[in-house]
Amino acid sequence: MKGTKYSQVWNLDNLFPDGNISFQFQEHIKYLETKVCNLEKELSHLNTPQEINESFKVAELIDSIEHIRINLSQSNSYITCLHAQNTKDQTSSILRGKTSSINARFEIALKKLQKTLVKTDHQLWEDMLDTEVLSSYKFILSEWRKKATLLLTDDEESLVSDLMLDGYHAWGQFYHSLIGSLKVSVQIDGETKELSIGQAMNLRSHPDEEVRKESHNTLEKVWKEYEEQFAKILNHIAGFRLQVYKKRRVENILEEPLMENRLKEETLNSMWKAVSKNKQPFTKYLNQKAEMIGDTKVKSYNFWAPLRKSNRKIHYEEAVHFILEQFSKFGTEIESFSRHAFNNGWIEAEDRPNKSATAFCASFPMSGESRVFMTYGDRITNVLTLAHELGHAYHNHAMKPIKGINRQYPMCIAETASIFTEIIILDAALEKAGSTDEKLFLLDEKLKRSVMNFMNIHSRFLFETRFYEERKSGIVSTSRLNELMQEAIDEGYEGSLDNVSIHSWVWTPHYYITKTPFYNFPYTFGYLFSLCIYAKAKDKGKAFEKDYIDLLRDSGSMSPEDLVMKHLGEDITSETFWEKGIELCVRDVEEFITLTSS
């Protein structure tokens, strides 16, 4: 942008020039097809290992798999970025179809290898894992062996994978295309503006209540108009997933998300128990805020509202400088990395039509880069989103020296890294607050995040769990989806939120992510875990950055339980661990009540 040092438009050309007509990208796809074809041929001759020296062959296959995975990630991320920057780009959808087909073949090949390895004699398997060529992959290979016990026959897995392309994953892609194509008209400062869903959602934190209310009501009308279409999408995604579970004899709908997060159910239950027991302070915060606004309960469209009416804008360049300044206080590497990202076109933040509504970070492991996508709207919430996505990018950066398949970390740890950087920025802003009003404004922003993770995310978990249980018996109607959402929000917020959006199931994209089921609890996990990490960082200062990088680098080769025990010496299967993080947030509530009562 003119007049600013940092561009708000990213650079994708150094990845693959010429966008959706890139010749280099077409060649990349052809290369991928060849590599997957070669892997399929190798696996067609693979037999169950009988001798320990076959460890070398397994190691060679792992190298091939990781090479393909890195190349696939590069292509998938590129297509995701193309579509996000312009949801009307039909060519990117065609390209996604090509890479999805390659990805499906790759997944079939990977499952075939896993099924072959699971047949290996137990003692021989243990001996193979102790060999020099496989010992560094011990955790991942053991995980593969466990996953293989749930797999169907090769032909059945191949059929499921093929059907996913134009069924399961296609429904998820259709959701993003549909919601990305919608437009709403909202009156701002006496002028009617046509906005994308992402732009309209940004108005949740607008200082003018009338703008927030109109945006909320306008969006609700759109959700109501399209609810049948979205209900069909959600039902078909869930139905497909449940049919596959049924075939694999998986009864617990949490089995896959827990396995993907490498998390014990005991850990998840302890976390939610701790959260459920400690919601009262946050209900008190919401009620206090409602009273200040002049309501008995906080209306949903006022939840993200600034506590004090303020027209102050945080321009993009100011946000960048503040983020870099605060990151430098934590460590030199994160500051240097983030500066490089801002200076080299890794960030797409421009506020313009036809962009996707969802912020994200995309990894490009071949080139060792990331891309951050968002719509920046000059508000503190946008600054925090930018910091959040940079946290994901920094995690990708930290994993660069890690070999092969040990780079794959679970979502609950991914969210830890992103929320950690968000906390750095929010706490820094609080420390710099020059007045009580400014401090209250920022403390309110901090508490909103606690409410989101303890109440909103819990309501999402409750909704998704109950929806899937009902979906086992057949299609869940639109009216029932609205009822389930209302019930989940009432329980999650303990009745402290008014005028709720019963169509939250429509506009929350996480319900429609086909590659990551139950993408809700990883946020709460990450939030509480990051609070504990942040407390350690505050105590140790800049020296902690090395410890933090070590933790991130272990995140792909350990369970969360073992990771936290190794680096923090804490048992996360215990409610006590989670209560420590919650207690830090309760102190924020107490300070908020004190400041607003004086």
Side-chain angles (χ1 to χ4, degrees):
M1 288 182 66
K2 285 186 177 180
T4 63
K5 180 179 178 181
Y6 303 103
S7 173
Q8 292 189 47
V9 180
W10 58 18
N11 175 17
L12 299 180
D13 280 349
N14 69 322
L15 300 167
F16 296 103
D18 303 322
N20 59 21
I21 59 170
S22 171
F23 173 76
Q24 285 91 332
F25 186 66
Q26 295 290 349
E27 290 298 302
H28 181 73
I29 291 176
K30 290 177 184 177
Y31 175 78
L32 264 173
E33 286 179 313
T34 301
K35 285 296 180 182
V36 171
C37 186
N38 291 341
L39 177 64
E40 289 169 335
K41 288 177 183 176
E42 284 188 77
L43 290 174
S44 67
H45 302 297
L46 181 69
N47 295 313
T48 303
Q50 301 295 326
E51 299 177 359
I52 196 166
N53 61 7
E54 292 180 74
S55 303
F56 292 99
K57 178 60 179 175
V58 174
E60 288 175 7
L61 286 168
I62 288 172
D63 288 342
S64 296
I65 284 167
E66 186 52 32
H67 180 72
I68 293 171
R69 179 175 275 162
I70 286 173
N71 278 267
L72 266 173
S73 180
Q74 190 87 357
S75 59
N76 289 334
S77 290
Y78 184 66
I79 293 169
T80 297
C81 290
L82 287 179
H83 185 263
Q85 70 180 5
N86 180 11
T87 55
K88 293 185 178 295
D89 179 5
Q90 297 301 312
T91 307
S92 64
S93 298
I94 296 170
L95 291 173
R96 188 182 294 282
K98 291 181 181 179
T99 56
S100 294
S101 178
I102 298 170
N103 194 75
R105 288 172 58 192
F106 171 69
E107 289 297 329
I108 292 169
L110 179 58
K111 287 171 182 174
K112 186 169 185 176
L113 173 60
Q114 291 171 348
K115 283 194 69 179
T116 302
L117 295 180
V118 80
K119 297 173 187 174
T120 309
D121 173 76
H122 178 74
Q123 188 55 55
L124 174 60
W125 177 252
E126 292 297 319
D127 292 341
M128 288 174 68
L129 291 181
D130 286 334
T131 61
E132 185 178 352
V133 291
L134 294 182
S135 59
S136 62
Y137 300 129
K138 190 170 187 176
F139 175 80
I140 301 298
L141 290 175
S142 298
E143 184 179 64
W144 280 8
R145 191 171 162 99
K146 182 180 178 182
K147 285 182 177 180
T149 61
L150 300 177
L151 296 176
L152 307 172
T153 66
D154 289 347
D155 287 344
E156 287 172 324
E157 285 295 340
S158 180
L159 178 61
V160 168
S161 187
D162 288 343
L163 291 174
M164 279 183 169
L165 281 177
D166 293 314
Y168 186 54
H169 295 316
W171 282 114
Q173 290 160 17
F174 179 55
Y175 167 81
H176 289 288
S177 295
L178 177 57
I179 204 164
S181 69
L182 299 178
K183 295 285 184 290
V184 295
S185 295
V186 180
Q187 193 170 67
I188 306 173
D189 299 327
E191 181 184 351
T192 300
K193 295 186 177 181
E194 186 179 68
L195 305 174
S196 68
I197 296 300
Q199 289 174 311
M201 296 288 272
N202 263 346
L203 296 177
R204 291 180 296 183
S205 58
H206 195 280
D208 189 333
E209 182 176 3
E210 286 305 311
V211 173
R212 296 193 301 270
K213 184 177 180 180
E214 185 185 349
S215 175
H216 169 84
N217 291 337
T218 303
L219 285 168
E220 285 300 306
K221 288 176 185 175
V222 172
W223 308 141
K224 179 66 178 174
E225 181 181 352
Y226 287 91
E227 64 180 356
E228 291 297 335
Q229 289 94 318
F230 286 111
K232 284 183 173 66
I233 296 171
L234 187 60
N235 270 286
H236 287 313
I237 287 173
F240 191 103
R241 185 178 286 162
L242 287 170
Q243 285 299 321
V244 174
Y245 286 172
K246 185 178 180 180
K247 194 71 177 174
R248 289 178 177 158
R249 298 180 181 178
V250 173
E251 294 183 4
N252 182 359
I253 55 173
L254 291 175
E255 185 167 345
E256 183 187 9
L258 285 169
M259 189 177 290
E260 290 301 317
N261 280 279
R262 300 167 180 168
L263 205 61
K264 294 178 181 177
E265 190 164 11
E266 177 188 4
T267 300
L268 180 63
N269 290 339
S270 292
M271 183 186 79
W272 283 136
K273 283 178 184 176
V275 166
S276 296
K277 286 180 182 177
N278 292 281
K279 285 185 180 179
Q280 188 55 41
F282 305 99
T283 299
K284 189 176 180 182
Y285 150 71
L286 288 173
N287 290 339
Q288 179 83 348
K289 185 172 179 179
E291 186 178 330
M292 294 172 68
I293 297 171
D295 293 322
T296 53
K297 287 184 182 180
V298 171
K299 291 181 171 61
S300 62
Y301 57 78
N302 282 332
F303 176 75
W304 287 107
L307 193 64
R308 296 281 189 263
K309 191 166 183 177
S310 170
N311 292 317
R312 182 178 183 269
K313 293 184 177 182
I314 305 172
H315 296 296
Y316 184 70
E317 188 155 342
E318 181 186 353
V320 172
H321 284 305
F322 186 70
I323 287 172
L324 292 176
E325 179 189 356
Q326 303 314 318
F327 281 0
S328 71
K329 294 175 183 176
F330 170 71
T332 55
E333 188 158 347
I334 191 171
E335 188 272 341
S336 175
F337 163 79
S338 300
R339 187 177 296 279
H340 181 82
F342 285 121
N343 286 335
N344 288 274
W346 289 18
I347 318 293
E348 168 57 57
E350 189 177 45
D351 187 351
R352 64 174 187 272
N354 301 324
K355 287 179 67 173
S356 170
T358 308
F360 64 82
C361 173
S363 172
F364 290 88
M366 277 179 61
S367 47
E369 299 181 7
S370 292
R371 291 296 184 273
V372 165
F373 179 89
M374 65 172 297
T375 299
Y376 190 82
D378 294 337
R379 309 204 181 280
I380 184 65
T381 50
N382 304 127
V383 180
L384 296 172
T385 297
L386 182 55
H388 180 102
E389 300 305 336
L390 279 169
H392 284 304
Y394 185 61
H395 195 170
N396 295 336
H397 168 74
M399 298 300 281
K400 281 169 68 175
I402 302 302
K403 186 181 177 184
I405 55 176
N406 288 337
R407 291 184 188 179
Q408 305 295 314
Y409 48 84
M411 294 314 301
C412 60
I413 303 300
E415 292 308 329
T416 299
S418 57
I419 295 169
F420 176 69
T421 47
E422 196 176 330
I423 292 171
I424 289 175
I425 299 306
L426 188 48
D427 256 27
L430 264 167
E431 288 176 11
K432 289 188 71 172
S435 66
T436 301
D437 275 1
E438 188 178 357
K439 187 171 186 178
L440 266 176
F441 170 81
L442 293 166
L443 194 57
D444 181 49
E445 288 300 325
K446 192 176 182 183
L447 282 167
K448 287 172 191 172
R449 276 143 186 79
S450 295
V451 170
M452 284 297 293
N453 283 284
F454 303 149
M455 295 175 146
N456 181 273
I457 299 298
H458 193 206
S459 74
R460 292 191 206 177
F461 178 79
L462 294 171
F463 167 80
E464 200 158 6
T465 305
R466 293 164 185 174
F467 162 64
Y468 269 87
E469 286 300 331
E470 292 200 14
R471 183 63 181 84
K472 288 178 181 179
S473 302
I475 294 291
V476 181
S477 68
T478 302
S479 60
R480 182 57 183 152
L481 285 168
N482 290 335
E483 288 173 3
L484 286 171
M485 194 76 255
Q486 179 78 62
E487 291 166 5
I489 291 173
D490 286 345
E491 184 174 340
Y493 284 87
E494 294 195 335
S496 57
L497 197 64
D498 195 17
N499 200 37
V500 301
S501 174
I502 59 171
H503 290 99
S504 293
W505 60 270
V506 172
W507 53 261
T508 302
H510 303 74
Y511 298 132
Y512 301 84
I513 298 175
T514 51
K515 291 185 178 178
T516 314
F518 277 78
Y519 200 164
N520 42 58
F521 65 81
Y523 283 110
T524 305
F525 180 104
Y527 185 67
L528 287 170
F529 185 20
S530 63
L531 285 170
C532 293
I533 294 173
Y534 184 67
K536 296 276 186 183
K538 292 281 280 185
D539 287 342
K540 199 166 183 180
K542 277 192 173 184
F544 183 74
E545 186 177 37
K546 182 184 180 302
D547 297 342
Y548 181 59
I549 291 171
D550 289 342
L551 183 153
L552 294 180
R553 287 177 177 164
D554 275 343
S555 63
S557 55
M558 301 179 78
S559 70
E561 288 84 5
D562 290 342
L563 183 73
V564 179
M565 181 58 73
K566 176 181 176 180
H567 291 278
L568 298 184
E570 298 275 6
D571 175 16
I572 64 173
T573 64
S574 165
E575 287 180 46
T576 305
F577 170 80
W578 303 107
E579 286 172 345
K580 287 179 183 178
I582 295 170
E583 178 56 35
L584 295 173
C585 302
V586 171
R587 291 178 199 168
D588 294 332
V589 174
E590 291 168 350
E591 186 175 6
F592 180 87
I593 298 296
T594 300
L595 288 173
T596 54
S597 300
S598 58

